[in-house]
Amino acid sequence: MAREYDTFVLEDPASVPEDQELELVVRELTPDDRRYKYRSFYAKALISKSESKYSDILKVRLGRGQLLDTPWSIELIKEVSKF
Amino acid sequence: MSTYRRLAVGMGMNPNATIPEIADEYVRRTQEKPIPPVMVDATDAPCKENILLGDDANLFHLPGPMVHEGDGGRYLATWHFVVAKDPDTRAINWGMYRIMVFDEKTMVGPVLPFSDMGKMFHGKHVPRNEPMPFAVVLAADPLSSIASCAPSQIPEDQLAGMLHGEPVELVKCETCDLEVPAHAEIIIEGEIHPSVSILEAPFGEYTGYRTSPRDPRTVYRIKAITHRNNPMIMVSNPGIPTDENQLLRSFSLGLEMRKLLESQGIPITGVYMMPESTHHMVVVGVKHAYSGIASQIANLAFGSKLGPWFHMIVVVDDKTDIYNKDEVIHALSTKCHPIRGIRKYENDIGTPLNPYASPEERKMGVGAKVLFDCLFPLDWPTSDLPLKVAFSTNYPKDIQEKVLSNWENYGYKN
Ligand SMILES: Cc1cc2nc3c(=O)[nH]c(=O)nc-3n(C[C@H](O)[C@H](O)[C@H](O)COP(=O)(O)O)c2cc1C
Ligand SMILES: [Mn+2]
């Protein structure tokens, strides 16, 4: 099963680059232990605006929480610790 | 705590107490001698019934709620306070600064630079690159919570004692040199990171909007959680008026302003911050003793510690009932000259939460202020002074009484 994440896109979604390594904050929507829902982490990842390109689903929210109708997809490369 | 009735109960007063009665009681208690806290042993402190350290101190073992769909994260701390000490003076501060859960060990929230903790953290810890110990108190008693979000100069542990009329009981933290209320439900201890910031927000805020941007904010790294058996958390769910954010902050902002104006000898009759304005608009009643009195009031209030949090002052005369919205709107729309009665303050202090501010102004915490002076100028000749026309002022007493006593006989409902 594809895992689901979401992220906040603060700029124009059209300007977000696809298929190249980005650093972004994502939130877990389908954790194994449901107490961890919305756990956030910084990640290096590839994203596509096509829902089917990468293995996991990426839901997208704008700056004030507005959810875009169609999800994107994401491939996580690694979690990045800030500490 | 979103009604005056509940506030009265929290203050230990008659639930039917009027707003002026509750206000007078707050002013009385907060002007007496400060009441310092007392220390108790951990064995007498319910908040120590469970002590979780290391990996056991995990934020996902607490039920931090997604307060509104679309918020930037789960906000564990929305009706709580953060305990900290000034690194130089060791002065204690309790402040209610919202906090979002990021991961197992990390929380994040805005600590605005003009807040007391902001001055300690951004002004002292950050330049010295030293972590700042903190303790988050989740679910304390109502009066300690009110003290922690009141814009008072008195250290809040003493202010809480004054509101209670007796000392609050504190207990030592497990991992740092801080003290927390012994009877709280949950305590989270740790250090605020001096150099890393991470993204926080958006959040449904007290203004009734999601306004402040998702931005890098202050990072709390946790070391310990202690809690009562079967603990509770308290949550404030901000939105359009009126909830406890707006009501309790309006209450204390208005009354701290009243004390400030009275301390300067200004002949005010009262101050009422309207909760429906999300504590952005305050009404001040004053005896029009001299010209410029409305400006003097506005300059003081906007220039004080309260300044960042509100931006509209309506000054009315001593005959206007400041608690009566109809009377205030009548005064504002008839007595305030659309040009001479309005005084604007540009490039003033603000917060990222102001819906009226531009995105740039929000980022920089820039705001603006406005005074609505609803006093007729003192130099207008008496015969040119508009005279208020009302049932209570323009009919002889005996006619008033006759009409009132016959009201239902005329076929009208009372
Ligand atoms: C529910 C709630 C949340 C608040 N969140 C914040 C916040 O995130 N950051 C902040 O600087 N002030 C926040 N405030 C305002 C402060 O609590 C208030 O300014 C208080 O007087 C701060 O104490 P201080 O004077 O010791 O700084 C909040 C108030 C309430 C009621
Ligand atoms: Mn303070």
Side-chain angles (χ1 to χ4, degrees):
Chain A
M1 265 277 284
R3 295 180 76 96
E4 288 185 18
Y5 300 91
D6 74 357
T7 194
F8 286 81
V9 170
L10 306 179
E11 66 270 38
D12 178 2
S15 69
V16 177
E18 298 178 82
D19 307 318
Q20 65 185 57
E21 197 174 301
L22 301 177
E23 185 177 296
L24 72 172
V25 175
V26 295
R27 306 191 299 181
E28 302 245 19
L29 300 183
T30 51
D32 299 332
D33 178 343
R34 60 191 273 268
R35 291 178 302 177
Y36 286 70
K37 188 160 179 185
Y38 298 112
R39 177 182 182 276
S40 303
F41 57 96
Y42 281 82
K44 291 239 189 286
L46 301 171
I47 64 173
S48 165
K49 289 168 201 171
S50 151
E51 189 176 347
S52 54
K53 174 144 189 185
Y54 296 117
S55 53
D56 292 331
I57 289 171
L58 183 67
K59 295 188 174 171
V60 177
R61 290 182 181 276
L62 303 184
R64 297 302 179 279
Q66 309 94 320
L67 184 65
L68 294 194
D69 289 339
T70 30
W72 301 356
S73 63
I74 183 165
E75 181 165 315
L76 291 171
I77 300 169
K78 64 170 188 213
E79 190 168 332
V80 179
S81 171
K82 292 283 154 187
F83 305 103
Chain B
M1 292 289 273
S2 59
T3 63
Y4 288 107
R5 195 178 168 80
R6 291 186 195 172
L7 172 57
V9 173
M11 298 267 293
M13 298 174 68
N14 182 330
N16 297 321
T18 62
I19 307 174
E21 283 166 353
I22 312 172
D24 286 347
E25 184 62 14
Y26 175 94
V27 169
R28 187 187 68 72
R29 290 188 200 176
T30 58
Q31 283 186 322
E32 306 222 305
K33 232 171 99 206
I35 302 184
V38 293
M39 295 302 299
V40 302
D41 288 338
T43 45
D44 295 324
C47 72
K48 300 284 189 186
E49 283 168 355
N50 302 271
I51 297 176
L52 305 170
L53 300 162
D55 284 349
D56 293 335
N58 181 335
L59 292 164
F60 290 109
H61 294 176
L62 298 175
M66 180 59 76
V67 179
H68 320 88
E69 200 272 339
D71 283 351
R74 289 164 51 179
Y75 279 81
L76 181 58
T78 55
W79 198 254
H80 67 294
F81 51 88
V82 185
V83 180
K85 272 186 196 167
D86 184 286
D88 299 330
T89 66
R90 307 307 290 155
I92 289 170
N93 191 64
W94 294 358
M96 198 177 279
Y97 316 109
R98 77 176 188 220
I99 312 179
M100 180 185 108
V101 174
F102 191 79
D103 63 23
E104 295 82 339
K105 291 280 183 197
T106 315
M107 309 188 289
V108 56
V111 178
L112 297 174
F114 50 74
S115 67
D116 285 347
M117 195 167 94
K119 284 178 257 180
M120 294 176 195
F121 177 66
H122 300 294
K124 297 186 176 182
H125 286 269
V126 171
R128 297 173 198 172
N129 199 29
E130 282 169 5
M132 179 162 117
F134 74 85
V136 171
V137 179
L138 280 185
D141 63 86
L143 295 183
S144 293
S145 304
I146 290 175
S148 75
C149 67
S152 161
Q153 302 286 12
I154 302 168
E156 291 82 358
D157 55 343
Q158 301 183 36
L159 186 66
M162 295 161 84
L163 288 173
H164 277 115
E166 61 185 26
V168 291
E169 293 188 337
L170 303 183
V171 62
K172 285 237 160 292
C173 279
E174 298 300 305
T175 62
C176 58
D177 171 33
L178 291 174
E179 297 84 33
V180 289
H183 299 276
E185 298 279 332
I186 304 173
I187 307 292
I188 306 173
E189 303 177 13
E191 286 181 342
I192 301 186
H193 202 293
S195 56
V196 174
S197 45
I198 57 183
L199 293 175
E200 186 256 3
F203 182 61
E205 292 163 344
Y206 77 85
T207 61
Y209 298 89
R210 224 178 238 144
T211 303
S212 63
R214 189 164 169 85
D215 247 354
R217 303 247 160 75
T218 301
V219 171
Y220 301 74
R221 296 278 286 167
I222 77 153
K223 291 184 168 174
I225 296 174
T226 78
H227 65 80
R228 284 174 178 250
N229 296 330
N230 299 317
M232 296 188 299
I233 65 166
M234 267 202 279
V235 176
S236 172
N237 182 334
I240 56 163
T242 306
D243 57 48
E244 58 285 326
N245 283 269
Q246 297 138 356
L247 190 118
L248 294 177
R249 290 266 292 150
S250 296
F251 180 73
S252 58
L253 274 161
L255 297 177
E256 294 299 329
M257 196 179 302
R258 167 172 151 187
K259 289 190 280 182
L260 169 72
L261 298 172
E262 282 173 350
S263 77
Q264 303 297 304
I266 300 176
I268 57 165
T269 49
V271 177
Y272 185 53
M273 178 77 82
M274 294 185 168
E276 304 86 343
S277 76
T278 74
H279 65 70
H280 287 173
M281 180 188 270
V282 66
V283 184
V284 181
V286 70
K287 197 165 168 313
H288 197 178
Y290 43 86
S291 296
I293 201 165
S295 277
Q296 187 187 27
I297 289 170
N299 293 341
L300 268 168
F302 288 146
S304 73
K305 188 178 183 194
L306 321 168
W309 293 108
F310 79 104
H311 57 272
M312 294 182 174
I313 297 189
V314 180
V315 176
V316 297
D317 66 18
D318 52 346
K319 311 244 168 19
T320 308
D321 177 359
I322 56 171
Y323 298 103
N324 182 328
K325 263 186 282 185
D326 289 354
E327 283 196 27
V328 171
I329 287 174
H330 182 239
L332 178 62
S333 50
T334 55
K335 298 177 78 175
C336 179
H337 190 284
I339 294 172
R340 291 191 302 274
I342 294 179
R343 179 156 173 214
K344 294 183 284 188
Y345 297 71
E346 287 174 63
N347 277 319
D348 212 298
I349 193 165
T351 77
L353 287 71
N354 279 333
Y356 72 79
S358 72
E360 261 327 294
E361 287 172 330
R362 285 183 216 140
K363 263 199 193 304
M364 298 310 297
V366 173
K369 315 271 180 215
V370 60
L371 160 66
F372 299 99
D373 179 347
C374 309
L375 304 173
F376 286 138
L378 286 175
D379 58 356
W380 286 2
T382 311
S383 48
D384 282 329
L385 207 57
L387 196 73
K388 198 185 260 178
V389 182
F391 178 72
S392 58
T393 50
N394 294 72
Y395 297 88
K397 270 269 158 312
D398 55 327
I399 294 194
Q400 288 187 36
E401 276 159 22
K402 189 171 153 200
V403 168
L404 288 178
S405 58
N406 279 313
W407 195 247
E408 286 185 21
N409 298 340
Y410 300 148
Y412 297 115
K413 286 209 173 95
N414 242 331

